[in-house]
Amino acid sequence: MIRPALDASAISEAVRHGETTVAEVADAFLERIEALEPDVHAFASFKPLQVRLQASLNEGRGLLAGVPVGIKDILDSADHPTQFFSPIYADHQPSRDAHVVTLLRQAGALIMGKTHTTEFAYMRTGPTRNPHDLERTPGSSSAGSAAGMAADFFAVALGTQTAGSLLKPAAYCGLFAFKPSFGLVSLEGVKPLAPSFDTVGWYGRSVRDLGLVARVLIPGFELPEAPRRPLHLGFCRTPRWDQVQPEVAEALEHAVEQLRHAGHQVSELKLPDEFAGVFDDHLIINDCEGARSLAKEFEQHRSLLSPSILAMFDRAAATTWDQETAAKARLAALAPRLNERCQPFDAILAPNCAMLAPLAVDSAENTGPSDFIKFWGAFGWPQVNIPLPRAEGLLPIGLQMIGRFRTDGALLRVAERVAAELLTDRGH
Amino acid sequence: MIRPALDASAISEAVRHGETTVAEVADAFLERIEALEPDVHAFASFKPLQVRLQASLNEGRGLLAGVPVGIKDILDSADHPTQFFSPIYADHQPSRDAHVVTLLRQAGALIMGKTHTTEFAYMRTGPTRNPHDLERTPGSSSAGSAAGMAADFFAVALGTQTAGSLLKPAAYCGLFAFKPSFGLVSLEGVKPLAPSFDTVGWYGRSVRDLGLVARVLIPGFELPEAPRRPLHLGFCRTPRWDQVQPEVAEALEHAVEQLRHAGHQVSELKLPDEFAGVFDDHLIINDCEGARSLAKEFEQHRSLLSPSILAMFDRAAATTWDQETAAKARLAALAPRLNERCQPFDAILAPNCAMLAPLAVDSAENTGPSDFIKFWGAFGWPQVNIPLPRAEGLLPIGLQMIGRFRTDGALLRVAERVAAELLTDRGH
């Protein structure tokens, strides 16, 4: 019997080697879902018979042979409705899969269902709860994918990120996550929000799974050799470090100390004041592009949009064309300077979320700031979340790792070593 | 009776003022289509009854009230199949309209049908012919939209551009065309090819129509006041001027002289040698991104792809990750330098295509180079085509006008003056 807690690499290997069948894998995960879904509410659409049908047709071949996957309901799917958590699209059934969903199927994955998103991947939250504490939010917007991972409903899940939508839920739910460099993964069939930032990313049970999925979703992607020498890491508190709650700050600093004790060099990376405006520039662009992306829904169905979306339209209307142009120009000018400052490091360490997962009841329109995530996402750089080892019963805390633009493979290799060091120290 | 040769601004005004009905407009254009479509082959899908039904439901309101529009078959549409000129998608019926198609409907437009594209907006051409000479190609990839405009099948048409797909057919078919700055128009429901460059653009009968459609498809777009002083234009022959055929070069130089005689300053803009690599960098990125965008079709339906698509995959496979990264970095580094050199000018004038429309029989996999178009598109800058006045019976020649990034409104205003000057000289 397959354990739902196995990672995708282990599951697909067991399937390919005939140590288990895809039907057995499907049954194990379906059982888990049927037991916990009534509390977690990860799924926007779930059809167990459809999963069993896929399993019976699955040939047990491919990089993701028999691997159960959850799909954020911001991506189109031919066998489930795609509703974007908006009444405007209630029961809307697309004619074809998003490009990445097809690539998953071609690699042998089992599509377990569509997972809850916030409304159009923006702020209004759905019913999903955090499996670590059902009173708390899993974060947004890739809420169902993250909560479903934490509840062992699937071994891999797709999300998307515009500001903090992939990494924040990874921090709150204690997951490995990877948001690739901007532009590497096809957005065909993915509802746009702010096209300057929109990126498909994914959750996995291990760093090696993050790389496995990268090989499926980024044709031509290859993992380089891991460096064997001690790593040189930059620890960047980012200009808003003062927002980080003491418990989170302490855990991050402890992780940095662990890495130093393991023989790696971790240097403080201080960014000059000119980087303090990145947060606001990201907001300006997100607002203006978001208003353009949802223009047709605003025109025809205004009364069905949430207050947070309408507030975004208000801010966009109050922003001039030249202000948006200037925000884009500032980011473009800062990118090479950030690259230069980060060049000496194998990767950057930074906070992911400033806080622990807040209570769901307080999170209907806001699950907490994404500042430390969007700071790097503004430049399209690849980002990873490493869940810090935590004592039983404590809420998860995430360590963010960042690579320079298009150094995705190297970042995953460095993340693999960092994750191993942090776990080792835990005494496992 | 409405004349199909009226521009969209005139048609929508006549409809809004009750001078004609939408049904009359539809009939006039349908008659034209029925007479000439058997020779032109502009449509991939055309349903006259469906057009009449739309016309009967049209309320005659909006910026595009009653304006007949053609839609390139690379954009999804809920009431026509979307086939991308690929047998892989034969009869494929999307569940919803591309975002821009919905915006057109909301503005009162009549969707006349889907127009022929090349295979996935790449190179393999369809059956469409150039109305100026039925032995010749209309250019690619927005072939049906351009040929349909030249044949008066609709007053506006949507296309897309990755390298030269919007402007080239405008040059060959003698059309006003506008490719906005990268990132302004939603790509939801548009099949991606190379996402670093993919942009929706359109054809119109006049520069004012290009601006009218911009107001519909770019929420928040506003046209500034036109400058009243003499213009200062930069004439950029671009590093590949030696490819321009004598007849085209002569026509462009004549246009420059006309503008000078009209009192405008036209200075030669010479770019330093470092810009000579832009063509190759565009090709590298187009190949690598194209191979990623069509990965699912390549995986499952390789035998249904054309030789030109397969050659793109071969080139992508022979390109390293670092070569693609370097190409992107070079373009990013050149962008501010190009901006600085173009800052003194109200707009840039440049060749559009180096040649006149070639024979269709020679154009099955290649309708001619797009170098002068993709040079500017590589930076995401807005581009306009002005059809040069030509004696009856001569094939069209296009003058390309370019603005700096996100100066779209100003570019259209300058283009309006340039077009008027060139027409005035013709003696109309």
Side-chain angles (χ1 to χ4, degrees):
Chain A
M1 184 70 177
I2 205 88
R3 283 183 300 116
L6 285 182
D7 75 354
S9 304
I11 293 172
S12 63
E13 211 178 298
V15 167
R16 280 195 306 269
H17 293 176
E19 294 157 18
T20 186
T21 67
V22 179
E24 279 176 344
V25 175
D27 282 342
F29 280 85
L30 287 172
E31 204 173 284
R32 183 86 186 160
I33 293 167
E34 275 150 31
L36 297 184
E37 172 64 2
D39 292 327
V40 175
H41 304 288
F43 285 101
S45 175
F46 171 59
K47 305 175 185 172
L49 283 176
Q50 215 279 347
V51 173
R52 290 205 168 85
L53 177 66
Q54 280 181 71
S56 72
L57 297 170
N58 191 296
E59 294 173 350
R61 286 202 297 260
L63 286 175
L64 297 176
V67 173
V69 180
I71 308 289
K72 183 179 183 180
D73 197 27
I74 213 77
L75 294 96
D76 281 350
S77 50
D79 50 10
H80 287 274
T82 298
Q83 305 177 97
F84 316 123
F85 196 57
S86 165
I88 300 170
Y89 290 90
D91 301 322
H92 167 251
Q93 178 57 61
S95 60
R96 60 185 195 269
D97 284 331
H99 184 96
V100 288
V101 174
T102 301
L103 292 181
L104 291 173
R105 291 191 206 273
Q106 289 175 346
L110 280 184
I111 307 300
M112 301 301 281
K114 300 299 287 293
T115 62
H116 270 303
T117 172
T118 53
E119 177 195 27
F120 299 120
Y122 199 58
M123 296 178 75
R124 187 172 72 92
T125 58
T128 311
R129 293 303 178 93
N130 192 325
H132 290 273
D133 176 350
L134 292 171
E135 296 300 309
R136 293 182 186 270
T137 176
S140 59
S141 66
S142 307
S145 284
M149 286 294 295
D152 293 335
F153 292 172
F154 23 73
V156 163
L158 295 190
T160 60
Q161 183 164 296
T162 302
S165 286
L166 190 88
L167 261 70
K168 193 204 291 183
Y172 289 174
C173 293
L175 306 173
F176 291 98
F178 178 48
K179 189 229 67 139
S181 289
F182 180 76
L184 284 181
V185 181
S186 173
L187 290 166
E188 184 181 353
V190 181
K191 178 85 177 158
L193 179 58
S196 287
F197 306 127
D198 294 345
T199 306
V200 171
W202 45 91
Y203 301 119
R205 292 211 182 298
S206 57
V207 179
R208 70 173 181 166
D209 274 8
L210 301 180
L212 180 71
V213 177
R215 288 171 60 202
V216 172
L217 298 187
I218 307 174
F221 180 83
E222 278 179 31
L223 283 166
E225 287 290 302
R228 296 184 185 199
R229 56 171 173 72
L231 298 171
H232 186 194
L233 302 165
F235 180 40
C236 183
R237 293 168 198 263
T238 334
R240 294 197 172 170
W241 176 257
D242 58 343
Q243 294 179 359
V244 180
Q245 287 180 350
E247 185 175 352
V248 176
E250 205 175 292
L252 292 170
E253 283 164 343
H254 177 69
V256 166
E257 284 316 306
Q258 276 181 269
L259 292 168
R260 283 182 178 139
H261 287 150
H264 303 292
Q265 186 185 344
V266 186
S267 312
E268 290 275 342
L269 167 64
K270 283 228 163 83
L271 296 175
D273 290 346
E274 59 180 354
F275 285 95
V278 169
F279 309 99
D280 291 339
D281 285 339
H282 189 291
L283 181 66
I284 288 170
I285 296 167
N286 201 339
D287 285 343
C288 293
E289 295 192 351
R292 288 199 295 271
S293 293
L294 297 171
K296 65 175 178 178
E297 288 84 2
F298 185 73
E299 173 68 22
Q300 213 158 352
H301 305 285
R302 206 163 306 185
S303 63
L304 298 178
L305 295 171
S306 70
S308 53
I309 295 263
L310 296 175
M312 179 184 78
F313 274 88
D314 286 345
R315 290 193 303 276
T319 306
T320 66
W321 186 274
D322 289 346
Q323 284 170 329
E324 186 191 351
T325 303
K328 293 194 178 202
R330 281 190 296 267
L331 291 184
L334 284 175
R337 291 184 228 169
L338 188 62
N339 189 59
E340 203 176 311
R341 286 186 178 266
C342 295
Q343 192 115 36
F345 305 111
D346 290 312
I348 308 301
L349 307 175
N352 179 339
C353 285
M355 56 170 75
L356 304 173
L359 292 171
V361 71
D362 300 330
S363 306
E365 297 274 344
N366 191 345
T367 60
S370 310
D371 287 347
F372 299 98
I373 310 166
K374 70 188 192 186
F375 181 85
W376 307 95
F379 302 98
W381 288 18
Q383 298 165 291
V384 163
N385 186 64
I386 306 283
L388 292 176
R390 300 276 285 163
E392 196 65 33
L394 291 182
L395 287 171
I397 290 177
L399 169 67
Q400 184 181 188
M401 295 187 61
I402 305 112
R404 291 178 296 120
F405 188 56
R406 287 177 59 89
T407 62
D408 298 59
L411 173 64
L412 287 174
R413 283 300 192 200
V414 173
E416 204 161 17
R417 282 187 68 187
V418 166
E421 298 288 13
L422 297 176
L423 274 176
T424 302
D425 188 80
R426 200 184 180 185
H428 282 223
Chain B
M1 184 69 175
I2 205 89
R3 285 182 299 116
L6 283 182
D7 75 354
S9 303
I11 293 171
S12 63
E13 209 178 298
V15 166
R16 281 194 305 270
H17 293 176
E19 294 158 18
T20 186
T21 67
V22 179
E24 279 176 344
V25 175
D27 283 341
F29 281 84
L30 288 173
E31 204 173 285
R32 182 85 187 163
I33 293 167
E34 276 149 29
L36 297 185
E37 171 64 2
D39 292 326
V40 174
H41 304 287
F43 286 100
S45 175
F46 172 57
K47 306 174 183 172
L49 283 177
Q50 216 278 347
V51 174
R52 290 205 169 86
L53 178 65
Q54 281 181 71
S56 73
L57 296 171
N58 191 295
E59 293 173 351
R61 286 201 298 260
L63 285 174
L64 297 176
V67 172
V69 180
I71 308 289
K72 183 180 184 180
D73 198 26
I74 212 77
L75 294 97
D76 280 351
S77 51
D79 50 9
H80 287 273
T82 298
Q83 306 178 93
F84 315 124
F85 197 57
S86 166
I88 300 171
Y89 291 90
D91 301 322
H92 167 251
Q93 178 57 61
S95 61
R96 60 186 195 268
D97 284 333
H99 184 96
V100 288
V101 174
T102 301
L103 292 180
L104 290 173
R105 291 192 206 272
Q106 289 173 346
L110 279 184
I111 308 300
M112 301 301 281
K114 301 299 287 292
T115 61
H116 271 302
T117 172
T118 53
E119 177 195 27
F120 298 121
Y122 200 57
M123 295 178 77
R124 187 172 73 92
T125 58
T128 311
R129 295 303 179 94
N130 192 324
H132 290 272
D133 175 350
L134 292 171
E135 297 299 309
R136 294 184 185 270
T137 177
S140 60
S141 66
S142 307
S145 284
M149 286 295 294
D152 294 333
F153 291 172
F154 23 74
V156 163
L158 295 191
T160 59
Q161 183 164 298
T162 301
S165 287
L166 190 87
L167 260 72
K168 192 204 290 185
Y172 289 175
C173 294
L175 306 173
F176 291 97
F178 178 47
K179 190 230 65 141
S181 289
F182 181 75
L184 284 180
V185 180
S186 173
L187 290 166
E188 184 182 352
V190 181
K191 177 86 177 157
L193 178 58
S196 287
F197 307 126
D198 294 344
T199 305
V200 171
W202 46 90
Y203 301 119
R205 294 210 181 300
S206 58
V207 178
R208 71 173 182 168
D209 274 9
L210 300 180
L212 180 71
V213 177
R215 288 171 60 201
V216 173
L217 298 187
I218 308 174
F221 180 84
E222 279 180 29
L223 282 165
E225 287 289 303
R228 296 185 185 199
R229 56 175 171 70
L231 298 171
H232 185 194
L233 303 165
F235 179 40
C236 182
R237 293 169 197 262
T238 333
R240 295 197 172 170
W241 176 257
D242 58 343
Q243 295 179 358
V244 180
Q245 288 180 348
E247 184 176 352
V248 175
E250 204 175 291
L252 291 169
E253 282 164 343
H254 177 70
V256 166
E257 283 316 305
Q258 276 181 271
L259 292 168
R260 284 183 178 139
H261 287 150
H264 303 292
Q265 188 185 343
V266 186
S267 313
E268 291 274 343
L269 168 63
K270 282 225 164 86
L271 295 176
D273 290 347
E274 60 181 354
F275 285 95
V278 168
F279 309 100
D280 291 338
D281 286 338
H282 190 289
L283 180 66
I284 288 171
I285 297 166
N286 201 340
D287 285 343
C288 293
E289 295 192 352
R292 288 199 295 270
S293 293
L294 297 172
K296 65 174 177 177
E297 289 84 2
F298 185 73
E299 174 67 23
Q300 213 159 352
H301 304 285
R302 205 163 306 186
S303 64
L304 298 178
L305 294 171
S306 70
S308 53
I309 295 263
L310 295 175
M312 179 184 77
F313 273 88
D314 286 344
R315 288 193 305 275
T319 306
T320 68
W321 186 274
D322 288 346
Q323 284 171 328
E324 186 191 350
T325 303
K328 292 194 177 201
R330 282 190 295 267
L331 291 185
L334 284 176
R337 292 184 227 169
L338 188 63
N339 189 58
E340 201 176 310
R341 286 186 178 264
C342 295
Q343 193 115 34
F345 304 111
D346 289 312
I348 308 301
L349 308 175
N352 180 339
C353 285
M355 54 171 76
L356 304 174
L359 292 172
V361 71
D362 300 329
S363 306
E365 296 274 343
N366 191 346
T367 60
S370 310
D371 288 347
F372 299 98
I373 309 166
K374 71 187 191 188
F375 180 85
W376 306 94
F379 302 98
W381 288 20
Q383 298 165 291
V384 163
N385 185 64
I386 306 284
L388 292 176
R390 301 276 285 164
E392 196 66 31
L394 291 183
L395 287 171
I397 290 177
L399 170 67
Q400 184 181 188
M401 293 187 62
I402 305 112
R404 289 178 297 120
F405 188 55
R406 286 177 60 88
T407 62
D408 299 59
L411 173 64
L412 287 174
R413 284 300 193 199
V414 172
E416 203 161 18
R417 283 187 68 187
V418 166
E421 298 288 12
L422 297 176
L423 274 175
T424 301
D425 188 82
R426 199 184 180 185
H428 280 222

